[in-house]
Amino acid sequence: MVSILLIDPDIEQHCSLQIILAPEFRIVSAYTGETGLERMKCESPEIVLLSMNLPDIDALDLLQLITSTIHSPPVIMISENEDLSLITRSIRIGAYEYLKKPLVMEKLKPCLLKALYYYSSICRIDETGNGPPELSKFIGESRQIQKIKRLILRFAPSNIPILIAGESGTGKEIAANSIHALSTRNQGPFIAINCGAIPPTLINSELFGSEKGAFTDAVSRPGSFEQANRGTLFLDEIGEMDLRSQVHLLRIIENQEIIRTGGIRKIPVDVRIVTATNKNLQHAVNNREFRNDLFYRINTFTLTIPPLRERICDIPYLAGHFIASIGKDSHELTLGALYKLTEYSWPGNVRELKATIERASMLTDNHKIEARHILFNQ
Ligand SMILES: Nc1ncnc2c1ncn2[C@@H]1O[C@H](COP(=O)(O)OP(=O)(O)OP(=O)(O)O)[C@@H](O)[C@H]1O
Ligand SMILES: [Mg+2]
């Protein structure tokens, strides 16, 4: 989760920020400059909010200390009175921004998001991303994504089947890839099959292979299970699979051996199954559209990826990542653009964000992506 270190003697300020910024941001409190410095070291906050009036240290001296560290987080100065000379000095020392108290959500939120966007770009340039490299493609610092990464680290090494649930475009395939990369099977293949895209008449031969003559034009060929041997088979949109194929699938998972369509030979397979769905499978079971026994087999552990609109903290990180990945590192999102991105409901989730950022990068004729370049599908 994104942590904000608030260094401010004003106790009420701490209470009000805890309330208005929860649950997306975690407030780490320090009431003096000295405790602020200590918290800096042990908490590694992503953003610092620093009061201009501290009881023990001159705020500008503290600012100097914080901004002189290598991966210094952005520091936002806050004060009740607008002392222009102090503000200018703090900006010269390296303060990221200045905000006048009282801190109102309309001004604070975009400022924090912009600071996060800036901080994520520093981390990317310095390659100081935390966590194992296998998770580095799975971008997100929100509390929810951090939790998902922790669960992936915990469950990836075992062989248990994992069901990944979440709306379309939330990153289920990225999660499945990370599970494979962090498992003991990572030297083996990762085979992904979209069950929703294959007609019911072909799904069996696709999964289990076929022998010559099994049906018109059939050739002898291995299916996904054999291809994924000693690796991971990712069955996307498992909720779309027809009931007959579900029976086959369950039998193969239980016996760990397949018989190709039209064949008689039993072929042993050693495959870890990861599935994904954007449907509520429990509802599908209740409606008899999905087999109860298969559901319990694949659902030993469920990882639910929340929609993007419920984790807007990830937007600055993701947006920066997508800009960098299309080679437009010099492009920068303006505050207005970022704000527009975080106000939208993202029905297509991260996939839609990626497309929106790519479009915006093409629309700008200088290096600034502004709100007018952000065009939504709806
Ligand atoms: N956390 C993330 N970090 C980086 N890229 C992401 C993340 N989540 C999603 N993406 C990107 O968004 C796009 C959609 O992700 P993905 O294919 O994993 O979604 P999905 O949940 O499997 O979607 P669907 O239900 O439509 O199959 C991909 O281009 C992926 O790289
Ligand atoms: Mg998918």
Side-chain angles (χ1 to χ4, degrees):
M1 181 172 7
V2 174
S3 311
I4 299 176
L5 171 60
L6 172 62
I7 311 175
D8 191 339
D10 175 0
I11 296 178
E12 271 177 27
Q13 184 66 80
H14 290 255
C15 301
S16 76
L17 283 197
Q18 303 270 18
I19 294 167
I20 62 173
L21 293 178
E24 279 146 7
F25 297 92
R26 183 172 73 101
I27 302 293
V28 176
S29 288
Y31 300 99
T32 64
E34 202 165 323
T35 36
L37 259 186
E38 270 166 29
R39 296 271 145 84
M40 264 302 296
K41 286 179 203 140
C42 49
E43 300 276 350
S44 314
E46 275 87 354
I47 301 172
V48 179
L49 285 174
L50 174 60
S51 162
M52 294 268 201
N53 304 302
L54 298 176
D56 53 342
I57 315 179
D58 182 284
L60 294 191
D61 288 344
L62 181 55
L63 173 67
Q64 182 95 54
L65 274 174
I66 296 175
T67 51
S68 60
T69 56
I70 295 185
H71 303 304
S72 152
V75 181
I76 300 169
M77 305 301 290
I78 48 176
S79 89
E80 263 149 31
N81 33 21
E82 234 158 19
D83 180 336
L84 263 183
S85 100
L86 255 184
I87 296 170
T88 321
R89 274 166 58 210
S90 67
I91 300 285
R92 275 202 200 119
I93 293 173
Y96 178 74
E97 187 57 275
Y98 161 81
L99 285 179
K100 189 171 184 306
K101 283 185 175 182
L103 299 178
V104 287
M105 196 55 175
E106 296 75 56
K107 287 221 166 120
L108 180 61
K109 192 173 120 187
C111 183
L112 291 175
L113 291 167
K114 179 82 176 155
L116 256 188
Y117 173 63
Y118 160 80
Y119 187 58
S120 72
S121 64
I122 302 181
C123 295
R124 206 167 36 251
I125 292 162
D126 295 344
E127 289 179 345
T128 54
N130 47 11
E134 291 83 356
L135 280 176
S136 63
K137 286 194 195 129
F138 197 172
I139 309 294
E141 296 296 321
S142 61
R143 165 181 60 89
Q144 299 96 317
I145 292 297
Q146 290 300 321
K147 184 173 169 205
I148 285 171
K149 288 186 186 176
R150 275 200 303 279
L151 290 169
I152 289 180
L153 280 171
R154 189 156 131 219
F155 289 105
S158 72
N159 249 339
I160 62 164
I162 296 183
L163 172 66
I164 308 171
E167 288 181 12
S168 179
T170 44
K172 297 188 290 297
E173 184 149 353
I174 286 231
N177 251 305
S178 310
I179 292 169
H180 173 70
L182 285 161
S183 74
T184 49
R185 302 171 166 266
N186 58 13
Q187 297 303 311
F190 174 84
I191 304 287
I193 289 287
N194 185 339
C195 303
I198 305 168
T201 46
L202 293 182
I203 187 109
N204 280 356
S205 60
E206 191 63 38
L207 288 177
F208 316 128
S210 56
E211 292 294 6
K212 199 166 186 294
F215 48 89
T216 323
D217 302 333
V219 288
S220 198
R221 68 172 202 96
S224 318
F225 265 91
E226 280 178 78
Q227 288 167 18
N229 198 24
R230 291 189 217 289
T232 305
L233 178 59
F234 174 52
L235 299 174
D236 203 355
E237 293 190 34
I238 185 84
E240 301 302 319
M241 190 181 262
D242 67 290
L243 285 162
R244 272 172 57 118
S245 306
Q246 290 177 27
V247 179
H248 272 125
L249 178 62
L250 178 65
R251 205 177 52 227
I252 308 290
I253 295 178
E254 290 193 328
N255 300 341
Q256 289 278 313
E257 57 182 23
I258 56 121
I259 300 174
R260 290 183 183 178
T261 309
I264 45 166
R265 192 165 51 101
K266 288 181 177 163
I267 306 172
V269 283
D270 168 19
V271 171
R272 197 237 188 116
I273 304 285
V274 176
T275 48
T277 181
N278 50 25
K279 272 188 173 176
N280 183 327
L281 272 195
Q282 182 63 64
H283 281 173
V285 169
N286 298 346
N287 296 340
R288 297 181 187 277
E289 290 156 10
F290 201 84
R291 287 186 65 98
N292 206 15
D293 42 12
L294 179 61
F295 178 58
Y296 288 114
R297 241 314 149 178
I298 60 174
N299 178 31
T300 314
F301 178 70
T302 300
L303 205 59
T304 305
I305 308 193
L308 188 58
R309 62 184 163 278
E310 288 175 15
R311 47 181 169 106
I312 58 166
C313 270
D314 289 336
I315 292 180
Y317 287 89
L318 285 163
H321 167 74
F322 293 138
I323 291 177
S325 66
I326 51 173
K328 303 273 169 109
D329 294 67
S330 57
H331 282 192
E332 199 198 328
L333 282 166
T334 61
L335 188 54
L338 251 168
Y339 196 61
K340 193 167 174 184
L341 290 175
T342 54
E343 290 294 292
Y344 180 59
S345 62
W346 298 111
N349 292 293
V350 185
R351 181 178 291 117
E352 190 182 356
L353 173 66
K354 188 176 178 186
T356 307
I357 293 291
E358 286 170 358
R359 189 161 47 223
S361 298
M362 304 220 301
L363 288 174
T364 171
D365 34 25
N366 53 35
H367 292 283
K368 284 214 178 317
I369 299 178
E370 294 177 28
R372 65 194 164 92
H373 301 126
I374 306 286
L375 304 175
F376 302 123
N377 292 334
Q378 303 187 330

